[in-house]
Amino acid sequence: HVQRKMQLEAAQAQQTLTQAQAAAAAATEETQLATLKLAISLMSTRLVEMGEGRRVYSQTLLALIERSSDPGLLLLITKVVGPWLTAPPGPPPALAFRDRALFVVKMTAFEVIDSAELHKAFLELVHALHADPNLARPELLQKIEPAFMIGLRTKDAELRAKFFAILQKQSGAAAAQRLAFIIQTQDWESLASTLWLRQVTHLLLSTASPEQPLPLRPSGLQLAALTLGPPKPGGGGDGA
């Protein structure tokens, strides 16, 4: 009986120790994360003075984007790099288009993170790159097209409408132009896992004017109008 009691006490002590170690580890991780966020915020205010250190700083942020899954940390990084990516093109310290594209491509991984605030911040950044004529250049837009496609399938209806408006401008105004854009120009691979035909149908239907009827071509096949009524004598019972 005494031995059994000692075993129970030892097991309880081990359980208490394990719980204490887990709590300490969680507290340490939380403290490290808070310290990291503080360091990123403080360094972001001294970028102009950092010189070559800015490159190391940006590479560190890229590594965190790729490896971290903490929504708060990634949202902070998005807010820090946002002004870099949307700044007017120019010589250093302005980022080259390939560096802007690298950030955006890495940030597409945000789509699988459960944070509506993070998704919105990222997609607003992508939309800004497409909406600014000074930034909307082929060497940038072609590389970040997967991010644009995320905007077309986002659950945020307002943001989705903004991306679709850009797609409409890119695809031309006439139905024939849009059909050629859909079939020949646009790569829909990024939307392969979604019902991308919805975007295609919307693109085609939006070329029609709600104020004008859609008549058939004169050479088109037309059926005689059908009317409902009592059968005519000798008509076989069909209303015509």
Side-chain angles (χ1 to χ4, degrees), residues 139-155:
E139 58 265 36
L140 175 63
L141 300 190
Q142 290 176 359
K143 294 178 180 178
I144 65 173
E145 188 171 18
F148 181 82
M149 290 301 184
I150 293 176
L152 287 178
R153 63 173 178 254
T154 179
K155 296 180 180 179

PDB file of all heavy atoms in Angstrom, residues 139-155:
ATOM      1  N   GLU A 139       6.527  43.493 -66.259  1.00  0.00           N
ATOM      2  CA  GLU A 139       7.586  42.770 -65.562  1.00  0.00           C
ATOM      3  C   GLU A 139       7.232  42.492 -64.098  1.00  0.00           C
ATOM      4  O   GLU A 139       7.828  41.613 -63.460  1.00  0.00           O
ATOM      5  CB  GLU A 139       8.908  43.522 -65.643  1.00  0.00           C
ATOM      6  CG  GLU A 139       8.875  44.941 -65.068  1.00  0.00           C
ATOM      7  CD  GLU A 139       8.620  45.999 -66.124  1.00  0.00           C
ATOM      8  OE1 GLU A 139       7.837  45.716 -67.048  1.00  0.00           O
ATOM      9  OE2 GLU A 139       9.196  47.106 -66.007  1.00  0.00           O
ATOM     10  N   LEU A 140       6.276  43.241 -63.556  1.00  0.00           N
ATOM     11  CA  LEU A 140       5.809  43.004 -62.193  1.00  0.00           C
ATOM     12  C   LEU A 140       4.519  42.187 -62.181  1.00  0.00           C
ATOM     13  O   LEU A 140       4.418  41.175 -61.476  1.00  0.00           O
ATOM     14  CB  LEU A 140       5.590  44.333 -61.468  1.00  0.00           C
ATOM     15  CG  LEU A 140       4.976  44.240 -60.063  1.00  0.00           C
ATOM     16  CD1 LEU A 140       5.898  43.473 -59.124  1.00  0.00           C
ATOM     17  CD2 LEU A 140       4.683  45.629 -59.509  1.00  0.00           C
ATOM     18  N   LEU A 141       3.536  42.598 -62.985  1.00  0.00           N
ATOM     19  CA  LEU A 141       2.212  41.967 -62.931  1.00  0.00           C
ATOM     20  C   LEU A 141       2.252  40.503 -63.355  1.00  0.00           C
ATOM     21  O   LEU A 141       1.505  39.681 -62.817  1.00  0.00           O
ATOM     22  CB  LEU A 141       1.228  42.748 -63.808  1.00  0.00           C
ATOM     23  CG  LEU A 141       1.017  44.220 -63.431  1.00  0.00           C
ATOM     24  CD1 LEU A 141      -0.141  44.796 -64.218  1.00  0.00           C
ATOM     25  CD2 LEU A 141       0.773  44.385 -61.927  1.00  0.00           C
ATOM     26  N   GLN A 142       3.099  40.161 -64.318  1.00  0.00           N
ATOM     27  CA  GLN A 142       3.164  38.765 -64.758  1.00  0.00           C
ATOM     28  C   GLN A 142       3.664  37.845 -63.645  1.00  0.00           C
ATOM     29  O   GLN A 142       3.237  36.696 -63.540  1.00  0.00           O
ATOM     30  CB  GLN A 142       4.075  38.655 -65.982  1.00  0.00           C
ATOM     31  CG  GLN A 142       3.483  39.277 -67.246  1.00  0.00           C
ATOM     32  CD  GLN A 142       4.444  39.245 -68.412  1.00  0.00           C
ATOM     33  OE1 GLN A 142       5.579  38.771 -68.289  1.00  0.00           O
ATOM     34  NE2 GLN A 142       4.013  39.770 -69.553  1.00  0.00           N
ATOM     35  N   LYS A 143       4.561  38.361 -62.813  1.00  0.00           N
ATOM     36  CA  LYS A 143       5.131  37.536 -61.745  1.00  0.00           C
ATOM     37  C   LYS A 143       4.191  37.386 -60.556  1.00  0.00           C
ATOM     38  O   LYS A 143       4.261  36.393 -59.827  1.00  0.00           O
ATOM     39  CB  LYS A 143       6.469  38.122 -61.296  1.00  0.00           C
ATOM     40  CG  LYS A 143       7.550  38.072 -62.367  1.00  0.00           C
ATOM     41  CD  LYS A 143       8.838  38.716 -61.872  1.00  0.00           C
ATOM     42  CE  LYS A 143       9.923  38.668 -62.948  1.00  0.00           C
ATOM     43  NZ  LYS A 143      11.182  39.325 -62.510  1.00  0.00           N
ATOM     44  N   ILE A 144       3.331  38.380 -60.342  1.00  0.00           N
ATOM     45  CA  ILE A 144       2.450  38.327 -59.167  1.00  0.00           C
ATOM     46  C   ILE A 144       1.013  37.934 -59.549  1.00  0.00           C
ATOM     47  O   ILE A 144       0.087  38.140 -58.768  1.00  0.00           O
ATOM     48  CB  ILE A 144       2.444  39.672 -58.417  1.00  0.00           C
ATOM     49  CG1 ILE A 144       1.829  40.782 -59.278  1.00  0.00           C
ATOM     50  CG2 ILE A 144       3.849  40.051 -57.987  1.00  0.00           C
ATOM     51  CD1 ILE A 144       1.644  42.090 -58.516  1.00  0.00           C
ATOM     52  N   GLU A 145       0.851  37.345 -60.736  1.00  0.00           N
ATOM     53  CA  GLU A 145      -0.492  36.953 -61.178  1.00  0.00           C
ATOM     54  C   GLU A 145      -1.175  35.975 -60.226  1.00  0.00           C
ATOM     55  O   GLU A 145      -2.386  36.078 -59.994  1.00  0.00           O
ATOM     56  CB  GLU A 145      -0.434  36.359 -62.581  1.00  0.00           C
ATOM     57  CG  GLU A 145      -1.808  36.103 -63.164  1.00  0.00           C
ATOM     58  CD  GLU A 145      -1.748  35.709 -64.635  1.00  0.00           C
ATOM     59  OE1 GLU A 145      -0.663  35.314 -65.101  1.00  0.00           O
ATOM     60  OE2 GLU A 145      -2.778  35.805 -65.299  1.00  0.00           O
ATOM     61  N   PRO A 146      -0.462  35.004 -59.604  1.00  0.00           N
ATOM     62  CA  PRO A 146      -1.139  34.137 -58.634  1.00  0.00           C
ATOM     63  C   PRO A 146      -1.779  34.910 -57.488  1.00  0.00           C
ATOM     64  O   PRO A 146      -2.844  34.531 -56.995  1.00  0.00           O
ATOM     65  CB  PRO A 146      -0.009  33.223 -58.141  1.00  0.00           C
ATOM     66  CG  PRO A 146       0.960  33.178 -59.284  1.00  0.00           C
ATOM     67  CD  PRO A 146       0.926  34.557 -59.870  1.00  0.00           C
ATOM     68  N   ALA A 147      -1.137  36.006 -57.064  1.00  0.00           N
ATOM     69  CA  ALA A 147      -1.719  36.831 -55.998  1.00  0.00           C
ATOM     70  C   ALA A 147      -2.984  37.527 -56.482  1.00  0.00           C
ATOM     71  O   ALA A 147      -3.959  37.670 -55.740  1.00  0.00           O
ATOM     72  CB  ALA A 147      -0.691  37.863 -55.526  1.00  0.00           C
ATOM     73  N   PHE A 148      -2.984  37.962 -57.745  1.00  0.00           N
ATOM     74  CA  PHE A 148      -4.175  38.591 -58.320  1.00  0.00           C
ATOM     75  C   PHE A 148      -5.334  37.603 -58.360  1.00  0.00           C
ATOM     76  O   PHE A 148      -6.485  37.949 -58.077  1.00  0.00           O
ATOM     77  CB  PHE A 148      -3.862  39.102 -59.723  1.00  0.00           C
ATOM     78  CG  PHE A 148      -5.021  39.789 -60.397  1.00  0.00           C
ATOM     79  CD1 PHE A 148      -5.303  41.111 -60.131  1.00  0.00           C
ATOM     80  CD2 PHE A 148      -5.830  39.099 -61.287  1.00  0.00           C
ATOM     81  CE1 PHE A 148      -6.375  41.746 -60.741  1.00  0.00           C
ATOM     82  CE2 PHE A 148      -6.903  39.716 -61.903  1.00  0.00           C
ATOM     83  CZ  PHE A 148      -7.177  41.049 -61.628  1.00  0.00           C
ATOM     84  N   MET A 149      -5.045  36.354 -58.693  1.00  0.00           N
ATOM     85  CA  MET A 149      -6.085  35.334 -58.755  1.00  0.00           C
ATOM     86  C   MET A 149      -6.672  35.043 -57.374  1.00  0.00           C
ATOM     87  O   MET A 149      -7.851  34.703 -57.242  1.00  0.00           O
ATOM     88  CB  MET A 149      -5.527  34.054 -59.363  1.00  0.00           C
ATOM     89  CG  MET A 149      -5.217  34.183 -60.845  1.00  0.00           C
ATOM     90  SD  MET A 149      -6.690  34.643 -61.782  1.00  0.00           S
ATOM     91  CE  MET A 149      -6.076  34.589 -63.458  1.00  0.00           C
ATOM     92  N   ILE A 150      -5.859  35.182 -56.326  1.00  0.00           N
ATOM     93  CA  ILE A 150      -6.388  35.040 -54.966  1.00  0.00           C
ATOM     94  C   ILE A 150      -7.442  36.107 -54.713  1.00  0.00           C
ATOM     95  O   ILE A 150      -8.469  35.859 -54.071  1.00  0.00           O
ATOM     96  CB  ILE A 150      -5.249  35.134 -53.932  1.00  0.00           C
ATOM     97  CG1 ILE A 150      -4.310  33.937 -54.068  1.00  0.00           C
ATOM     98  CG2 ILE A 150      -5.806  35.196 -52.518  1.00  0.00           C
ATOM     99  CD1 ILE A 150      -3.105  33.990 -53.147  1.00  0.00           C
ATOM    100  N   GLY A 151      -7.212  37.297 -55.249  1.00  0.00           N
ATOM    101  CA  GLY A 151      -8.199  38.364 -55.102  1.00  0.00           C
ATOM    102  C   GLY A 151      -9.509  38.056 -55.799  1.00  0.00           C
ATOM    103  O   GLY A 151     -10.580  38.473 -55.343  1.00  0.00           O
ATOM    104  N   LEU A 152      -9.460  37.317 -56.896  1.00  0.00           N
ATOM    105  CA  LEU A 152     -10.676  36.968 -57.636  1.00  0.00           C
ATOM    106  C   LEU A 152     -11.515  35.919 -56.908  1.00  0.00           C
ATOM    107  O   LEU A 152     -12.708  35.784 -57.186  1.00  0.00           O
ATOM    108  CB  LEU A 152     -10.320  36.451 -59.035  1.00  0.00           C
ATOM    109  CG  LEU A 152      -9.831  37.477 -60.052  1.00  0.00           C
ATOM    110  CD1 LEU A 152      -9.487  36.782 -61.362  1.00  0.00           C
ATOM    111  CD2 LEU A 152     -10.884  38.557 -60.297  1.00  0.00           C
ATOM    112  N   ARG A 153     -10.904  35.151 -55.997  1.00  0.00           N
ATOM    113  CA  ARG A 153     -11.657  34.114 -55.300  1.00  0.00           C
ATOM    114  C   ARG A 153     -11.794  34.394 -53.801  1.00  0.00           C
ATOM    115  O   ARG A 153     -12.262  33.532 -53.052  1.00  0.00           O
ATOM    116  CB  ARG A 153     -10.998  32.751 -55.514  1.00  0.00           C
ATOM    117  CG  ARG A 153      -9.594  32.606 -54.953  1.00  0.00           C
ATOM    118  CD  ARG A 153      -9.129  31.157 -55.073  1.00  0.00           C
ATOM    119  NE  ARG A 153      -7.781  30.971 -54.604  1.00  0.00           N
ATOM    120  CZ  ARG A 153      -6.724  30.775 -55.400  1.00  0.00           C
ATOM    121  NH1 ARG A 153      -6.885  30.744 -56.699  1.00  0.00           N
ATOM    122  NH2 ARG A 153      -5.514  30.590 -54.893  1.00  0.00           N
ATOM    123  N   THR A 154     -11.432  35.594 -53.366  1.00  0.00           N
ATOM    124  CA  THR A 154     -11.551  35.913 -51.952  1.00  0.00           C
ATOM    125  C   THR A 154     -13.010  35.930 -51.502  1.00  0.00           C
ATOM    126  O   THR A 154     -13.921  36.214 -52.291  1.00  0.00           O
ATOM    127  CB  THR A 154     -10.905  37.278 -51.645  1.00  0.00           C
ATOM    128  OG1 THR A 154     -11.067  37.578 -50.254  1.00  0.00           O
ATOM    129  CG2 THR A 154     -11.568  38.393 -52.445  1.00  0.00           C
ATOM    130  N   LYS A 155     -13.238  35.649 -50.233  1.00  0.00           N
ATOM    131  CA  LYS A 155     -14.593  35.674 -49.687  1.00  0.00           C
ATOM    132  C   LYS A 155     -15.082  37.092 -49.430  1.00  0.00           C
ATOM    133  O   LYS A 155     -16.282  37.299 -49.236  1.00  0.00           O
ATOM    134  CB  LYS A 155     -14.631  34.865 -48.381  1.00  0.00           C
ATOM    135  CG  LYS A 155     -14.331  33.389 -48.569  1.00  0.00           C
ATOM    136  CD  LYS A 155     -14.374  32.656 -47.245  1.00  0.00           C
ATOM    137  CE  LYS A 155     -14.070  31.174 -47.422  1.00  0.00           C
ATOM    138  NZ  LYS A 155     -14.089  30.445 -46.133  1.00  0.00           N
TER     139      LYS A 155
END
